[in-house]
Amino acid sequence: MPHKSTAVYTGSFDPVTLGHLHIIQRASALFENLVVGIGINADKRPMFSIEKRVELVQKVTEPFENVRVEPFDGLAVDFVRQQKSSLMIRGIRPLTDTAGEFTMMMANRQLDDSIETVFLMADERFSHVSSSLLKQIAAVSDSDQRLAKFVPPPVLDALRQRMNE
């Protein structure tokens, strides 16, 4: 039975992966509502515009009635608060993300100690998948079959289109 509250899962989702989608699926089952917050980071050069990332995440989360997708600019803790939530979801991959996510959680706690971070461990099938790995594979491989192991079909189409530009 889902917890009666809203949780917020933030990230750049550039692009959204099967690993992200698996975390979204699990979090949406745990909480009454889940907001996927797509961050705008001025320091990064994203592959996809914020509008395209929102569109792709909306498309792949359509089956989950309690999931809403919103772009945000600024601090994740401020976005969580704007969503009238105090729960931040973070997906972590074994070893690779633990130290960085712990540091981020401690910083977030300093920024707003009323926000709790809930970590969901990535499934072993997706523990190696990252958006940067996808970009590298997409740049050098023309095999859609290979990319389909990492991204949902709408993202595969968008990746191919972007790589051909």
Side-chain angles (χ1 to χ4, degrees):
M1 181 168 183
H3 188 270
K4 298 239 184 252
S5 61
T6 297
V8 181
Y9 179 29
T10 62
S12 61
F13 303 99
D14 186 39
V16 60
T17 68
L18 289 173
H20 293 133
L21 192 56
H22 191 244
I23 296 291
I24 290 167
Q25 175 189 4
R26 290 167 51 210
S28 71
L30 291 172
F31 299 97
E32 191 172 36
N33 297 296
L34 178 66
V35 178
V36 178
I38 303 180
I40 301 167
N41 186 337
D43 295 336
K44 287 187 177 179
R45 288 187 35 173
M47 173 176 266
F48 293 106
S49 69
I50 187 68
E51 295 82 12
K52 187 65 173 178
R53 287 182 278 154
V54 167
E55 174 192 322
L56 289 170
V57 176
Q58 284 174 332
K59 197 174 286 187
V60 300
T61 60
E62 278 176 1
F64 311 111
E65 293 180 12
N66 64 332
V67 174
R68 185 167 42 90
V69 182
E70 299 286 339
F72 76 95
D73 197 0
L75 296 172
V77 291
D78 292 340
F79 179 71
V80 172
R81 186 62 55 222
Q82 289 165 8
Q83 301 308 306
K84 299 185 179 13
S85 178
S86 61
L87 294 166
M88 183 183 300
I89 302 294
R90 298 299 299 162
I92 56 172
R93 293 167 291 173
L95 302 174
T96 57
D97 289 346
T98 308
E101 288 293 340
F102 182 76
T103 300
M104 185 64 70
M105 180 206 55
M106 296 305 289
N108 286 339
R109 190 173 285 165
Q110 291 295 312
L111 294 167
D112 187 334
D113 65 359
S114 68
I115 306 253
E116 286 294 335
T117 303
V118 176
F119 292 107
L120 294 178
M121 183 67 72
D123 186 272
E124 66 184 27
R125 295 172 294 160
F126 308 117
S127 63
H128 62 288
V129 179
S130 69
S131 295
S132 51
L133 173 69
L134 282 177
K135 292 173 196 171
Q136 291 172 355
I137 294 170
V140 296
S141 174
D142 59 0
S143 171
D144 286 355
Q145 216 172 355
R146 287 180 174 164
L147 278 175
K149 294 177 182 182
F150 305 109
V151 295
V155 177
L156 177 61
D157 295 341
L159 262 174
R160 280 291 165 228
Q161 189 174 7
R162 184 75 174 98
M163 298 309 291
N164 291 330
E165 288 177 1

